[in-house]
Amino acid sequence: MTVRLTELSHGGGCGCKIAPAVLQEILAQAPAMSGFADLLVGTESSDDAAVYRLNDSQAIVATTDFFMPIVDDPFDFGRIAATNALSDIYAMGGKPLFALAIVGMPVGKLPTDVIRQILAGGEAVCAAAGIPIAGGHSIDSPEPIYGLVGIGVVHPDKIKRNDQAQAGDALILAKPLGIGVFADAMKKGKLSKAGYEQMLASTTQLNTPGIALAEMAGVNAMTDVTGFGLLGHLLEICRGSGLSADIRFADVPVHPLALELAQAGFSPGAAERNWASYGHEVKMPDGMTEWQRKLLCDPQTSGGLLVVCDEGAVASVMDEISRQGFTQARMIGRMGQGNGVAVAL
């Protein structure tokens, strides 16, 4: 009998994340990091990875990401999880060096060859990124879990934090939205082969432009859009930078087949949990439909880079992103004075 990975877990992909408001409450009493002068990025701004300065020209970027299956194919699950984990290094402007595997599997329920295929998927992505999986840790767990600890390097002066946006900066989103919509349709047996291929192509595309963008003058901030949805991660930029953002829904790229599914009512429960956490900070226009609102909160697994740059850098950023194969990237709005996010149709 074939085992469906998604039937062994209560959630999948970045939709597994703890809701933003709950996470904020959990971390509210976390100790301050101010006593460590070489810790350049810690927990203070909800950034993508920690960064620790080694010397004047090198800093270590460290991150970890893991989740339960978003797809049933074990090799594809491994690829998606590994791509997602490495994304946080690219989002800081870093270059990956090596990874460690995080493996939790229900050994009594999954054949060993299926587990091996999951690991092989992660190994294939790391090979494409030019890095080894140099070790890791495994446990026997009730649900299948896979991910990576990612270690990278960046110049201390070229770190791309998520809290350095400037008023007037442009917002560029490198990958279309809709991964959570695809996952919901697949869970309900309504995702077409073409939709699955569109989902897989996006979730296994490494966010490598982050390395080149770190070298560009005028790129002021960067993050990647994952489990909290576009609005959630944009709000982290706004809060950290002390600014507001204005975006236009019509300019936000969405996977074509995901758009059709969203209009038909497909959306994961995590989209509503996201909105419940931060909807009070978002101004929606009259006429905004429920499916449009949910898309802006749609949890992205291995989502795209969200790049914040000044006007003079827009053309160079778009050229670099496009050159590396992100052909659906779009400028979606701008940063402004104030707080929160305002959406226009």
Side-chain angles (χ1 to χ4, degrees):
M1 182 178 69
T2 302
V3 179
R4 291 190 62 191
L5 291 177
T6 53
E7 290 182 347
L8 296 176
S9 59
H10 73 280
C14 286
C16 296
K17 276 190 172 183
I18 294 174
V22 177
L23 182 62
Q24 188 174 21
E25 183 179 352
I26 292 170
L27 297 178
Q29 302 302 317
M33 298 291 106
S34 56
F36 302 87
D38 289 316
L39 182 63
L40 304 181
V41 182
T43 60
E44 64 281 347
S45 60
S46 302
D47 218 323
D48 299 298
V51 183
Y52 192 92
R53 179 172 48 209
L54 297 178
N55 51 53
D56 290 343
S57 61
Q58 292 176 311
I60 288 290
V61 184
T63 183
T64 184
D65 217 313
F66 51 89
F67 46 61
M68 292 164 284
I70 189 174
V71 296
D72 290 314
D73 183 282
F75 186 76
D76 290 347
F77 169 43
R79 292 173 67 202
I80 294 168
T83 306
N84 179 76
L86 294 181
S87 180
D88 287 337
I89 294 177
Y90 295 123
M92 302 302 298
K95 179 181 179 181
L97 293 176
F98 66 93
L100 305 174
I102 298 169
V103 184
M105 294 291 156
V107 177
K109 297 178 182 178
L110 278 182
T112 55
D113 66 316
V114 171
I115 299 173
R116 178 62 222 150
Q117 289 176 56
I118 295 171
L119 272 58
E123 291 161 1
V125 164
C126 287
I131 65 170
I133 295 181
H137 185 65
S138 61
I139 62 169
D140 187 349
S141 66
E143 297 178 293
I145 297 168
Y146 180 68
L148 299 176
V149 173
I151 304 296
V153 65
V154 68
H155 192 290
D157 296 337
K158 296 178 179 178
I159 300 165
K160 296 304 174 187
R161 299 175 58 109
N162 69 352
D163 62 356
Q164 301 296 308
Q166 303 296 312
D169 279 353
L171 291 162
I172 296 171
L173 180 61
K175 285 186 186 181
L177 303 182
I179 301 304
V181 172
F182 280 142
D184 186 55
M186 186 177 65
K187 184 178 181 181
K188 295 171 180 174
K190 300 296 183 181
L191 184 63
S192 65
K193 180 180 178 182
Y196 183 83
E197 290 173 351
Q198 207 169 87
M199 173 185 175
L200 186 63
S202 180
T203 54
T204 58
Q205 186 177 24
L206 288 163
N207 281 325
T208 52
I211 299 172
L213 296 178
E215 301 289 335
M216 289 188 183
V219 176
N220 295 322
M222 193 156 58
T223 190
D224 59 347
V225 178
T226 53
F228 298 159
L230 173 61
L231 290 178
H233 293 286
L234 179 53
L235 279 165
E236 289 177 338
I237 291 174
C238 291
R239 297 184 199 113
S241 304
L243 297 172
S244 65
D246 295 276
I247 64 171
R248 185 169 178 261
F249 182 84
D251 294 331
V252 176
V254 181
H255 289 291
L257 295 178
L259 181 62
E260 295 176 13
L261 291 166
Q263 291 170 333
F266 290 94
S267 179
E272 279 301 318
R273 292 197 298 273
N274 283 342
W275 178 254
S277 292
Y278 54 64
H280 61 285
E281 297 181 73
V282 182
K283 182 179 179 181
M284 289 292 191
D286 294 336
M288 174 71 76
T289 64
E290 184 178 13
W291 71 263
Q292 289 173 317
R293 174 181 63 80
K294 286 182 176 180
L295 258 179
L296 295 178
C297 305
D298 190 52
Q300 302 306 288
T301 298
S302 191
L305 293 175
L306 181 58
V307 185
V308 188
C309 64
D310 63 40
E311 184 66 33
V314 170
S316 296
V317 169
M318 290 296 291
D319 285 349
E320 182 61 35
I321 290 173
S322 178
R323 185 186 70 80
Q324 295 202 35
F326 294 77
T327 58
Q328 298 181 72
R330 298 289 184 273
M331 178 177 162
I332 63 171
R334 290 190 180 279
M335 303 299 298
Q337 300 290 348
N339 52 69
V341 174
V343 181
L345 289 171

